[in-house]
Amino acid sequence: MGQFGWPPGLANGRCIKCLTVADDFTHECVDIAVDHGISGAYVVRVLEQIACFRGYPRAVRTDNGPEFTSRAFITWAQQHGVEHILIEPGKPMQNGYIESFNGKFRDECLNEHWFTSLAQAREVIADWRRDYNEVRPHSSCGRTPPALFAANHRAQTDNNAPRVSIVVASNLGSPHEFDDIQPGLQGRGSSQDVATQ
């Protein structure tokens, strides 16, 4: 799971923050929450909405950002039996898939648009996410879009089995905070690994 600001995010100079949530196995972008600020309670609300459709993950992998070390987030993880995996400070490659995803998101969406409002930013980002999940083939998914790869996987497995997943989380700040980070890919985990950012 990650959060990053993109100053100046809006034409009026206000920053926007994006919380990205991606599935580590299927490479689906589960959600991108866009707002002016994202707290631990905000992260919990986003994950609760996701859990309504996907169930609770087995684990969440995050960096050490304040929204991921907050009481609200830690309490949520404990209440739902979700393992919280913190990457080591200064080691973003321990969360490599989401770092790679965020690089693509930044290059292909955020760098390409000048948002005039929060509503417009949400709409453009939702369109990019839909294209990423449903149209664009991914070599790691057998040259199929992640949503199709996930649907095929679900059809091959018992849908009644308990969900075993890893939600990968990472907090992204302003672009200058990540100038020295090289995005990369991590290997596939279990068939139910989920990544968020």
Side-chain angles (χ1 to χ4, degrees):
M1 184 172 308
Q3 174 186 341
F4 59 95
W6 207 254
L10 300 178
N12 65 8
R14 287 200 68 187
C15 291
I16 59 170
K17 301 276 185 175
C18 300
L19 178 75
T20 55
V21 181
D23 186 308
D24 212 15
F25 176 70
T26 66
H27 291 193
E28 281 180 289
C29 176
V30 178
D31 197 4
I32 302 176
V34 182
D35 217 318
H36 292 295
I38 297 178
S39 66
Y42 191 104
V43 171
V44 167
R45 284 192 303 273
V46 169
L47 292 176
E48 279 295 323
Q49 290 172 348
I50 292 168
C52 289
F53 300 99
R54 294 178 161 269
Y56 292 99
R58 180 178 56 82
V60 177
R61 185 179 315 123
T62 72
D63 63 16
N64 293 284
E67 67 279 9
F68 304 126
T69 57
S70 69
R71 270 188 209 166
F73 184 79
I74 292 169
T75 300
W76 173 85
Q78 290 172 346
Q79 286 176 342
H80 298 290
V82 175
E83 180 185 3
H84 185 200
I85 302 168
L86 287 166
I87 66 170
E88 295 175 53
K91 304 235 177 175
M93 290 317 302
Q94 291 179 352
N95 205 0
Y97 174 69
I98 203 66
E99 295 297 335
S100 175
F101 172 84
N102 281 339
K104 289 178 185 125
F105 175 50
R106 185 181 301 118
D107 292 342
E108 298 171 9
C109 185
L110 298 179
N111 286 348
E112 297 296 319
H113 296 91
W114 184 256
F115 303 117
T116 58
S117 68
L118 187 60
Q120 185 223 3
R122 287 176 173 158
E123 183 179 329
V124 168
I125 289 168
D127 289 343
W128 182 88
R129 185 177 80 86
R130 215 171 354 269
D131 179 73
Y132 181 88
N133 284 338
E134 299 172 8
V135 177
R136 177 190 311 190
H138 295 241
S139 60
S140 60
C141 298
R143 301 299 307 158
T144 63
L148 178 61
F149 180 81
N152 290 340
H153 176 72
R154 283 190 299 272
Q156 295 173 0
T157 60
D158 180 10
N159 288 330
N160 296 324
R163 183 161 181 83
V164 179
S165 60
I166 295 177
V167 178
V168 179
S170 177
N171 177 18
L172 299 180
S174 72
H176 305 292
E177 292 176 25
F178 295 93
D179 286 344
D180 58 336
I181 295 174
Q182 298 297 315
L185 297 174
Q186 82 182 36
R188 286 280 173 91
S190 76
S191 63
Q192 297 290 322
D193 287 354
V194 174
T196 64
Q197 170 127 331

